Amino acid sequence: MKPTIAANLQKLKNGYSKCEQFIKKFIYTDFYLLLVSLITVIGWATKCAPFGISVLAVIACLALLAADDILPLTINIFGAMLVIYTSKIEELLVVWPVMLLLAPCAIVFVVKNCRHRFHTGKMFYPQLAVALVLLLGGAGVISGADYSRALPTALILGFGVLAIYVLYNHFLKRDGSRDIPAYFSRVMMYLGIIISLELLITIIRSGVPLSQWHTTYWDVGWGNRNNISTYLILTAGLTLYLSAVQRHGWIYLLVGLVQYLCILFSFSRGGIIFGAISGIIALVLSVVKSENRKQQLISIGIILGLVLVMYLIFMDKINAIIGSLLERGMGTSGRTELYIEAWECFKRFPFLGAGLGYQGNNFDITVMNMYWFHSTLFQVIGSLGIVGLAAYIWYYAVRAKLLFKNIKNTFNLFILAIWIGFEGYCMIDAGTFIPYPNMMLIIITALLLELQSPCAAKDFMNLTYARCE
């Protein structure tokens, strides 16, 4: 007897359901994170846009169709840029038809998982205030052409970051069945591994002698040495968090320290200084907050011993690296002139600043079409004035409140270490005015703090062995 149409449809439905359940489980595993990371590195290293971008897009589509939680999609969202091997975007546009697959899959994900009730969250209104003031900056004093040129950056930095916050707040699954901070930290660890490999491959391919590294401007395509070090400050700190709360902590400890070492190899002076400050704090916390402090101290001792052995074996080469770094000196690279210029803009236009599209004499407009003052404080007062300063003070006050509300929590303490490094570095660089990935990742960490309870580490289930005091 031939099977009926209804029976065939039921078989298809059952097959789809099994496939969906498999993918739904798979995207929470290290195998999934490793797969995405491996394809990203291969696509970047081979400079093969059709392979890297196409395969990553297909994987993202499968994840979107199966997932009922945005958390596993973090590796796709923030790993996407790491496959970009060139600043010549036209080389990547050949695969645009594949990218069209993402739109309908994203719509399916939103429709399938949409909650009826909208939750704003603690950071919604502060970020909204920042978004509005970014649009208002320079009103009445900036030309229409200059305003329009910087408008895309202003929109993404304001409303784009707000959209990420809303998406994660709305589609982050809260069922107590997973340790959200731990999974997010694992994603960040894999992103850090990708970045480290890309930097090391770039250095090896350059063929530049060690003694000349200080004169070389490392660029991996999607970013330069400053972008690299900023990203690694975020990823390395959360990798050390895993070393404190996971079994086999020595593995995460080693991976985290390698990422900090890559900050040194980036030759970004500000990144090295504030990465070291953040790293030392995180390393101390990894001992203090570890379930097994003795084992953690032994692991640190062994790793430091290996570092010493490596130094003795490659003493000349390592000394050349250190000497090359010292050759760069501690000059301001023209930042002093930029800070003076920002102050003059503030004095001339105190209410709403000169705007993001302002063009000065001390910096050339870059691909992001805005004028960088290379400091969070001076960028705010120079570009956005008193109104912008008030909005950012509110924004930072709410973030600080979320952080210190449960400051004894292990995750909160590591985020404190990371924010010290990130915000400290951004006081002498442009990091807080780069929307993707910097400020989008920062606002996600703020959301995770918001979701934390005083005993969040034990409220979630079984992925980690985090302490809660």
Side-chain angles (χ1 to χ4, degrees), residues 129-166:
V130 167
L132 292 174
V133 82
L134 287 167
L135 296 181
L136 291 173
V141 299
I142 193 173
S143 70
D146 286 341
Y147 180 85
S148 299
R149 174 173 44 77
L151 182 59
T153 297
L155 287 172
I156 299 172
L157 184 60
F159 289 100
V161 173
L162 181 63
I164 284 292
Y165 177 75
V166 170

Side-chain angles (χ1 to χ4, degrees), residues 301-315 318:
I302 292 173
I303 291 173
L304 291 178
L306 290 174
V307 170
L308 179 60
V309 171
M310 294 296 291
Y311 172 74
L312 295 174
I313 294 174
F314 302 102
M315 183 183 298
I318 294 174

Side-chain angles (χ1 to χ4, degrees), residues 174-427:
R174 304 163 172 85
D175 61 356
S177 64
R178 62 193 55 78
D179 186 332
I180 295 175
Y183 186 90
F184 179 78
S185 298
R186 295 182 84 81
V187 171
M188 294 297 285
M189 177 186 71
Y190 279 99
L191 292 174
I193 292 172
I194 295 171
I195 296 165
S196 299
L197 287 172
E198 290 181 355
L199 174 61
L200 295 175
I201 291 171
T202 298
I203 293 173
I204 293 169
R205 283 177 172 176
S206 72
V208 176
L210 297 178
S211 59
Q212 297 178 21
W213 280 13
H214 69 285
T215 64
T216 307
Y217 195 74
W218 305 127
D219 193 317
V220 294
W222 54 264
N224 58 36
R225 61 190 176 206
N226 293 336
N227 304 126
I228 292 168
S229 60
T230 303
Y231 214 152
L232 286 175
I233 287 174
L234 300 176
T235 64
L238 285 175
T239 305
L240 289 192
Y241 164 73
L242 291 173
S243 77
V245 301
Q246 296 266 250
R247 288 177 176 173
H248 311 299
W250 67 271
I251 298 175
Y252 304 101
L253 182 67
L254 180 61
V255 174
L257 292 177
V258 167
Q259 291 177 44
Y260 281 116
L261 183 63
C262 285
I263 294 177
L264 175 65
F265 288 163
S266 74
F267 274 68
S268 169
R269 292 169 300 179
I272 292 170
I273 293 170
F274 289 100
I277 294 171
S278 177
I280 290 170
I281 296 172
L283 188 61
V284 171
L285 288 173
S286 74
V287 175
V288 174
K289 287 295 182 178
S290 174
E291 286 286 356
N292 192 331
R293 296 177 185 177
K294 183 179 179 180
Q295 181 179 344
Q296 191 78 345
L297 284 169
I298 292 173
S299 298
I300 292 173
I302 292 173
I303 291 173
L304 291 178
L306 290 174
V307 170
L308 179 60
V309 171
M310 294 296 291
Y311 172 74
L312 295 174
I313 294 174
F314 302 102
M315 183 183 298
D316 293 339
K317 292 184 178 180
I318 294 174
N319 286 342
I321 294 174
I322 297 172
S324 185
L325 179 62
L326 294 175
E327 281 289 329
R328 289 207 66 206
M330 295 303 293
T332 62
S333 300
R335 282 172 169 78
T336 301
E337 290 79 7
L338 286 169
Y339 300 160
I340 294 172
E341 187 178 6
W343 180 247
E344 290 300 321
C345 287
F346 178 67
K347 289 195 297 184
R348 289 169 57 199
F349 315 113
F351 189 59
L352 287 170
L356 293 184
Y358 161 82
Q359 292 193 62
N361 301 317
N362 294 303
F363 190 84
D364 294 328
I365 299 298
T366 63
V367 68
M368 292 190 71
N369 294 319
M370 66 174 283
Y371 193 81
W372 300 108
F373 288 115
H374 285 271
S375 167
T376 301
L377 175 61
F378 287 105
Q379 192 79 56
V380 170
I381 64 172
S383 300
L384 308 173
I386 294 173
V387 175
L389 186 61
Y392 270 90
I393 287 174
W394 183 21
Y395 166 86
Y396 277 105
V398 175
R399 265 179 57 187
K401 184 178 179 180
L402 291 173
L403 176 67
F404 288 103
K405 185 177 181 180
N406 298 314
I407 193 58
K408 290 185 178 181
N409 186 279
T410 302
F411 185 70
N412 290 50
L413 286 169
F414 276 89
I415 293 298
L416 173 61
I418 290 166
W419 283 2
I420 287 174
F422 175 79
E423 297 294 345
Y425 182 32
C426 291
M427 289 302 290

Side-chain angles (χ1 to χ4, degrees), residues 12-68:
L12 287 174
K13 183 178 179 180
N14 292 339
Y16 174 81
S17 179
K18 289 180 180 179
C19 184
E20 183 183 43
Q21 290 302 315
F22 171 79
I23 295 174
K24 190 179 293 186
K25 292 180 180 179
F26 180 66
I27 58 180
Y28 284 105
T29 67
D30 277 288
F31 296 108
Y32 177 72
L33 300 178
L34 183 60
L35 174 65
V36 174
S37 301
L38 186 61
I39 293 171
T40 300
V41 173
I42 292 174
W44 176 89
T46 59
K47 298 184 178 181
C48 184
F51 168 78
I53 296 176
S54 300
V55 175
L56 290 174
V58 170
I59 292 174
C61 286
L62 293 174
L64 282 166
L65 293 174
D68 57 359

Side-chain angles (χ1 to χ4, degrees), residues 168-169 172 174 180 446-453 456 460:
Y168 270 79
N169 193 29
L172 190 63
R174 304 163 172 85
I180 295 175
L447 175 63
L448 297 188
L449 294 177
E450 185 179 337
L451 299 179
Q452 291 279 77
S453 69
F460 298 112

